Amino acid sequence: MDNSISRFKAREQGFILVFEKIFHPEPIEEIISNAEESRDMVVDSYAMELVNGVYDNADSIDSLIESKLKKGWTIKRISKTSLAILRLAVYEMKYVDSVPESVAINEAVELAKKYTVDESKFINGVLGSIAKE
């Protein structure tokens, strides 16, 4: 039996785990383990790659996001939901060669439409300016 899930579902899992990590200081492996135990989540290998990649490159990802914010804005002003989506998308754009930037941006916008209150334009704008580099 093939347990693989769609790329969007894997990204969604990755987003949820990245989001949870924002609130919990424990290592990402512990957060993944807790998710698997408490919610019977079977974490997809691509989701795992995304989450580990986001946290292995967190400083450079956050610096890049912050460099594209409007004057006077810092990463602390971004909602936690949008920040998790941005981190995931920036990781894919900059570190996953098999994912075109346009796909990473589109998938991030879809996650934003599902999980935020109308922050998809903001996310699209930040990611679009990163893609132009």
Side-chain angles (χ1 to χ4, degrees), residues 10-121:
R11 280 184 187 92
E12 192 170 32
Q13 274 188 350
F15 152 71
I16 290 166
L17 294 165
V18 168
F19 179 76
E20 286 182 21
K21 176 72 174 122
I22 291 171
F23 297 97
H24 301 286
E26 55 264 2
I28 194 66
E29 296 78 21
E30 198 172 314
I31 291 169
I32 290 168
S33 175
N34 290 342
E36 289 174 332
E37 286 175 30
S38 65
R39 295 192 301 263
D40 289 330
M41 180 189 276
V42 177
V43 179
D44 181 78
S45 60
Y46 187 65
M48 193 91 75
E49 176 189 333
L50 292 173
V51 173
N52 287 319
V54 166
Y55 285 98
D56 288 346
N57 300 285
D59 291 341
S60 62
I61 289 170
D62 284 358
S63 293
L64 188 53
I65 292 168
E66 201 152 42
S67 75
K68 301 303 177 190
L69 298 178
K70 289 181 181 165
K71 189 171 170 53
W73 272 65
T74 65
I75 218 154
K76 289 178 175 59
R77 277 189 73 183
I78 301 172
S79 75
K80 303 296 186 233
T81 309
S82 290
L83 181 57
I85 293 169
L86 284 168
R87 284 175 171 164
L88 197 72
V90 170
Y91 172 74
E92 276 194 301
M93 291 168 72
K94 295 299 174 188
Y95 298 96
V96 183
D97 294 334
S98 63
V99 176
E101 286 186 335
S102 60
V103 171
I105 293 169
N106 185 55
E107 297 282 86
V109 168
E110 290 305 312
L111 284 170
K113 287 177 182 174
K114 185 171 180 177
Y115 288 99
T116 70
V117 181
D118 202 27
E119 292 183 27
S120 59
K121 286 187 178 95

